[in-house]
């Protein structure tokens, strides 16, 4: 089972954090990443976004249909996110459009079992894969992609 952690693309500044919209550059970032992801993903996946406008706009550039999950809002903890997405038990690939700092903490926790804060660029994805081998659970990094790697600066 795979988990794609996708940090929302660049958003406008503003005092109402939940209503910050994508900038024109952010729209280009999200669109480029969405195009790349569509070519890579299996048909059966769940697309989840937080209640924040920028997260939903990022998700909408990938697919018309996505689920809004309040537990993915900017102030979420790693534990809240893992409970909300039920990964890896959900049985399908999950694309989670969310926020720093929990995306960086989630990647660090899953990959290193350490509560570190890893930096994740706006619009970037970290694609993790879960498997069990010889009774041991493993998390592998399948891909890490930034908008700059797709030619969007």
């Amino acid at each position: 089972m795979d988990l794609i952690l996708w940090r929302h693309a660049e958003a406008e500044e503003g005092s109402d954090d939940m209503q910050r919209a994508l900038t024109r550059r952010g729209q280009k970032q999200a669109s480029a990443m969405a195009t790349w992801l569509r070519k890579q993903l299996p048909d059966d996946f769940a697309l989840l976004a937080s209640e924040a406008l920028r997260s939903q706009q990022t998700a909408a550039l990938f697919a018309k249909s996505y689920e809004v999950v309040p537990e993915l809002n900017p102030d979420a903890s790693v534990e809240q996110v893992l409970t909300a997405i039920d990964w890896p038990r959900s049985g399908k690939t999950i694309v989670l459009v969310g926020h720093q700092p929990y995306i960086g903490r989630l990647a660090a926790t899953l990959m290193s079992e350490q509560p570190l804060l890893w930096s994740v660029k706006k619009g970037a994805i970290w694609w993790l894969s879960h498997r069990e081998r010889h009774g041991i659970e493993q998390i592998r990094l399948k891909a890490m992609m930034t908008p700059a790697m797709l030619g969007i600066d």
Side-chain angles (χ1 to χ4, degrees), residues 77-94:
S77 69
V78 167
E79 294 77 20
Q80 288 171 316
V81 172
L82 285 173
T83 298
I85 65 173
D86 195 32
W87 186 80
R89 291 176 297 281
S90 67
K92 67 169 82 174
T93 297
I94 295 174

Side-chain angles (χ1 to χ4, degrees), residues 7-14 17 19-27 29 52-55 57-58 99 122-123:
R7 184 175 179 194
H8 66 79
E10 182 183 270
E12 300 169 342
E13 296 297 321
D17 187 50
Q19 292 303 313
R20 293 174 42 223
L22 294 181
T23 62
R24 202 176 289 264
R25 180 175 182 238
Q27 291 170 4
Q29 291 173 334
L53 178 60
R54 62 195 181 277
S55 177
Q57 288 176 323
T58 299
H99 308 271
K122 291 177 183 165

Side-chain angles (χ1 to χ4, degrees), residues 10-67:
E10 182 183 270
E12 300 169 342
E13 296 297 321
S15 58
D16 186 349
D17 187 50
M18 296 298 284
Q19 292 303 313
R20 293 174 42 223
L22 294 181
T23 62
R24 202 176 289 264
R25 180 175 182 238
Q27 291 170 4
K28 289 179 184 176
Q29 291 173 334
S31 182
M33 192 61 68
T35 299
W36 184 84
L37 276 171
R38 273 189 219 100
K39 295 175 185 173
Q40 313 302 320
L41 281 172
D43 292 334
D44 184 28
F45 65 88
L47 178 59
L48 311 176
S50 78
E51 293 177 312
L53 178 60
R54 62 195 181 277
S55 177
Q56 291 184 45
Q57 288 176 323
T58 299
L61 287 165
F62 179 64
K64 292 178 184 178
S65 177
Y66 56 90
E67 182 181 349

Side-chain angles (χ1 to χ4, degrees), residues 5 102-112 118 120 126 128:
L5 301 171
Y102 73 72
I103 285 187
R105 287 190 174 121
L106 187 54
T109 299
L110 292 174
M111 292 184 60
S112 72
W118 288 354
V120 177
W126 285 54
L128 308 177

